[in-house]
Amino acid sequence: GDSVTQMEGPVTLSEEACLTINCTYTATGYPSLFWYVQYPGEGLQLLLKATKADDKGSNKGFEATYRKETTSFHLEKGSVQVSDSAVYFCALSEGQAGTALIFGKGTTLSVSS
Amino acid sequence: GAVVSQHPSRVICKSGTSVKIECRSLDFQATTMFWYRQFPKKSLMLMATSNEGSKATYEQGVEKDKFLINHASLTLSTLTVTSAHPEDSSFYICSARPTRSEAFFGQGTRLTVV
């Protein structure tokens, strides 16, 4: 079945450092790909998404490119801030509206000043 | 943007009692909603798919008699944890996906069974 694998954390960085969180997926078709962020004690918020190969999603300085050839959707940011500390989830869905997302296990990011 | 509201955000209950968690779509209709459980090491497990007007579809290993799901209207799904035990303590999150390109999540409910 479909699955998402993302790098284990925690990832600990200093402010203004570069961030990469790896995410690879296994799917039979052409999924939509997502990154969600969860701040402490809160639900999940969509960070960015891409619905077809070579699409680049971006938001709040974060980027991820849908790479079909490597089945990857790595999350990157050039300069992290303390406020970026959170748990990041990579997810996919092959279906249309009304289909559940499949999540990776989440990566905790901790940024110190 | 679309909003999913989940209530309560926190609940503490005694062992053996039942707890109901509500999930509402505030500005769209959701014929399908999803219930996830988040474990301490962060991973999100899909528990069940809630279908408006019909029975929920449970994932393998999820006890349907323990986790009762009702989706009585196009904007409301409820999850009832029956005869709760301490091992049911967890963070429960509901979700709806009105379009192909995005899913919306509730704020989550922290359940503690004492």
Side-chain angles (χ1 to χ4, degrees):
Chain A
D2 295 354
S3 66
V4 175
T5 302
Q6 61 181 106
M7 61 188 288
E8 296 282 338
V11 175
T12 303
L13 296 174
S14 298
E15 207 165 23
E16 299 184 4
C18 294
L19 169 71
T20 299
I21 300 178
N22 290 335
C23 172
T24 57
Y25 67 90
T26 301
T28 55
Y30 302 95
S32 296
L33 301 174
F34 308 84
W35 277 100
Y36 281 84
V37 58
Q38 184 180 33
Y39 297 101
E42 298 184 10
L44 274 69
Q45 301 174 29
L46 178 67
L47 181 59
L48 52 84
K49 63 189 177 189
T51 57
K52 61 182 188 296
D54 299 326
D55 271 1
K56 177 186 283 187
S58 61
N59 186 27
K60 299 181 181 179
F62 290 89
E63 292 183 341
T65 301
Y66 189 143
R67 301 284 188 200
K68 186 171 178 291
E69 63 275 14
T70 55
T71 62
S72 65
F73 193 54
H74 304 321
L75 181 68
E76 299 176 325
K77 186 173 186 181
S79 176
V80 294
Q81 305 300 312
V82 172
S83 57
D84 294 327
S85 299
V87 181
Y88 292 82
F89 291 91
C90 185
L92 72 79
S93 176
E94 288 211 72
Q96 299 300 316
T99 306
L101 270 59
I102 296 169
F103 286 89
K105 292 188 176 183
T107 302
T108 299
L109 170 65
S110 179
V111 180
S112 59
S113 58
Chain B
V3 177
V4 171
S5 177
Q6 189 173 338
H7 178 80
S9 58
R10 292 179 180 273
V11 59
I12 301 172
C13 71
K14 292 184 177 180
S15 289
T17 62
S18 295
V19 174
K20 180 184 285 188
I21 303 169
E22 293 187 347
C23 180
R24 294 180 184 274
S25 56
L26 296 185
D27 54 1
F28 64 96
Q29 293 183 333
T31 55
T32 304
M33 290 186 178
F34 308 100
W35 287 96
Y36 292 85
R37 180 173 178 176
Q38 187 170 29
F39 290 93
K41 291 199 173 182
K42 308 182 301 291
S43 64
L44 281 158
M45 181 192 80
L46 177 65
M47 298 174 65
T49 300
S50 172
N51 304 299
E52 188 269 334
S54 64
K55 291 182 180 180
T57 305
Y58 290 82
E59 297 298 306
Q60 192 172 11
V62 177
E63 297 177 63
K64 62 178 69 174
D65 294 331
K66 173 171 238 350
F67 299 101
L68 299 179
I69 291 172
N70 184 277
H71 195 148
S73 77
L74 287 170
T75 58
L76 175 63
S77 175
T78 59
L79 169 68
T80 301
V81 182
T82 64
S83 186
H85 289 282
E87 57 264 32
D88 299 325
S89 298
S90 194
F91 195 58
Y92 295 87
I93 304 175
C94 70
S95 172
R97 190 178 175 202
T99 70
R100 180 174 187 269
S101 61
E102 190 165 1
F104 299 97
F105 291 82
Q107 305 94 318
T109 298
R110 173 69 62 190
L111 170 63
T112 303
V113 184
V114 297

